Amino acid sequence: RLRLHDGKLIKDRRYHLRTYPNCFVAKELTDWLIDHKEAPDRETGIRLMQKLMDHYIIHHVCDEHSDYKDAKLLYRFRKDDGTFPLSKDVKVFVRGQSIYEKLVSTEESILKVREENSVKYQRTFLGCEMIDWLIQEGEVENRKEAVELGRALLEHGIIQHVSNRHHFSDSDVLYQFWINFRRRRRLTELLNENSSRALSESPDSPFCLRKLNPEPGNTSFLSVQTNKEIKIVSAVRRSSITSLAGNSNPYFSTSPMLVFPPVAECNPKSVLKRPITNEELLSPGAPYIKKTLTIVGDAVGWGFVVRGGRPCHIQAVDPGGPAAAAGMKVCQFVFSVNGMYVLHLDYQTISSLIMTGPRTLVMEVMEAIE
């Protein structure tokens, strides 16, 4: 974005007697990506910019196109028009980057190469050392607040325990910055992300394990991975799923695996007794209460299915999963996802927001008052 501003590709443009500030022409930008070796060809350039659209970084100036078109259409960075969703997750990421830059710019920095169990780790620090530094630099007021910040950084994948065995604590345990914020990245790296998250593979939301048999007392769920391998997992053993997958770390060494239901079980009948409109949901005196849920995904996922649209509702909740533990229930309506208002979106879009977001999911839901 900054390079485009410097190169005058982003500027005020006039179209149909109206001036659109700080925008670029899609076709010109595709040319720029190729000329500056950010993309090998136009097809890749289009895919890259679509990725930025999907992540709410750029958008059409009038929001008339949800796809990035290689044409004489005007697009804009949301950062330039104030519509970038500065959610809690983005704020944690920006805070982590700020702390990292401050640390690497300091003489006698606590970030060092250290060795543990004959393995050398880059950008490491002791938990208690980091807490001392945060208080000394005025980043936090006390040790409790510092621990909370450290845990937020770990839960968002910015720092981690060097062997992925501990959450952040005020101790002499060794941690490291998992992200090297100073490494120059290329746009094409965006295309290396796991594309198996695409919703086109299933008309359902892949967050909940499907029950094999609905008989009472049967706690087995069916998990169909994207490679179509079928696994049977007991709901009462969800906490040990990471070890079953060959990874004993309950924290953030891998992204949550997403599970897809069998085709025969897609599109189940809605759990709602009747359709509810946004107007009915938001009208003054409506019998609904808003709740905030914080759901930390495990190795299987988050443990729920979202369905419908405008508004979406919770169709199913895995009784042994993270969503149920956070207080999610069927028939709740999804109000926001990670700080973004979503009552006007369909379930495919909401599912995409969740899957491309962090493992710690913050949702606001509206629940009927009994």
Side-chain angles (χ1 to χ4, degrees), residues 18-289:
R18 181 178 172 183
T19 299
Y20 296 90
N22 293 321
C23 59
F24 60 86
V25 178
K27 191 174 186 302
E28 291 180 6
L29 181 54
T30 310
D31 293 337
W32 185 91
L33 291 172
I34 296 171
D35 292 343
H36 289 76
K37 296 182 170 40
E38 289 288 354
D41 50 54
R42 302 195 80 80
E43 181 186 354
T44 304
I46 293 167
R47 288 171 59 206
L48 286 169
M49 300 315 291
Q50 183 61 50
K51 198 82 169 177
L52 296 188
M53 287 196 75
D54 294 341
H55 284 73
Y56 297 90
I57 293 171
I58 64 172
H59 67 127
H60 181 255
V61 289
C62 298
D63 289 318
E64 291 176 355
H65 301 278
S66 58
D67 296 332
Y68 179 81
K69 300 183 185 297
D70 187 19
K72 291 185 177 180
L73 294 173
L74 300 181
Y75 291 83
R76 185 187 289 135
F77 278 82
R78 291 186 179 274
K79 190 80 173 173
D80 285 330
D81 63 10
T83 62
F84 183 71
L86 196 60
S87 65
K88 178 184 176 183
D89 304 304
V90 175
K91 289 177 182 176
V92 171
F93 187 87
V94 172
R95 185 86 183 273
Q97 183 177 20
S98 170
I99 290 172
Y100 180 84
E101 289 293 342
K102 206 169 177 180
L103 280 167
V104 296
S105 303
T106 305
E107 290 186 21
E108 300 297 321
S109 173
I110 63 172
L111 293 189
K112 297 174 183 175
V113 178
R114 291 182 173 89
E115 188 173 311
E116 185 172 284
N117 296 329
S118 302
V119 179
K120 284 189 176 180
Y121 296 97
Q122 304 288 330
R123 305 181 297 278
T124 68
F125 56 90
L126 300 176
C128 54
E129 254 185 347
M130 174 62 83
I131 288 174
D132 291 339
W133 182 87
L134 288 170
I135 295 173
Q136 177 186 321
E137 295 295 316
E139 292 283 343
V140 296
E141 292 186 359
N142 51 57
R143 303 191 81 81
K144 180 175 180 292
E145 193 177 319
V147 170
E148 290 173 355
L149 174 58
R151 286 182 167 247
L153 295 176
L154 188 145
E155 289 172 4
H156 285 76
I158 296 168
I159 65 172
Q160 68 170 21
H161 177 248
V162 290
S163 56
N164 293 315
R165 292 182 179 175
H166 300 284
H167 211 317
F168 184 79
S169 62
D170 187 358
S171 63
D172 58 358
V173 172
L174 193 61
Y175 300 90
Q176 69 178 151
F177 270 86
W178 182 239
I179 298 176
N180 179 1
F181 287 101
R182 289 200 167 183
R183 181 176 72 82
R184 172 65 192 274
R185 289 167 172 78
R186 303 195 69 83
L187 273 177
T188 48
E189 291 182 38
L190 290 173
L191 301 180
N192 296 329
E193 292 181 358
N194 184 2
S195 60
S196 65
R197 288 181 166 192
L199 286 167
S200 57
E201 298 184 37
S202 168
D204 205 344
S205 304
F207 303 121
C208 185
L209 300 180
R210 292 297 195 184
K211 278 195 175 182
L212 270 176
N213 300 302
E215 288 83 1
N218 189 323
T219 58
S220 292
F221 284 76
L222 176 64
S223 168
V224 182
Q225 306 288 337
T226 52
N227 61 4
K228 307 308 178 189
E229 176 189 358
I230 297 178
K231 296 181 180 179
I232 307 301
V233 184
S234 171
V236 297
R237 296 190 61 198
R238 288 183 66 99
S239 60
S240 62
I241 285 174
T242 45
S243 58
L244 291 174
N247 176 9
S248 59
N249 170 41
Y251 301 111
F252 301 88
S253 61
T254 59
S255 299
M257 293 186 295
L258 300 173
V259 292
F260 294 85
V263 175
E265 297 193 34
C266 292
N267 298 316
K269 184 179 178 181
S270 173
V271 294
L272 298 178
K273 294 179 180 178
R274 63 178 181 84
I276 303 291
T277 64
N278 281 337
E279 290 73 17
E280 186 177 351
L281 201 62
L282 300 174
S283 63
Y288 295 95
I289 185 171

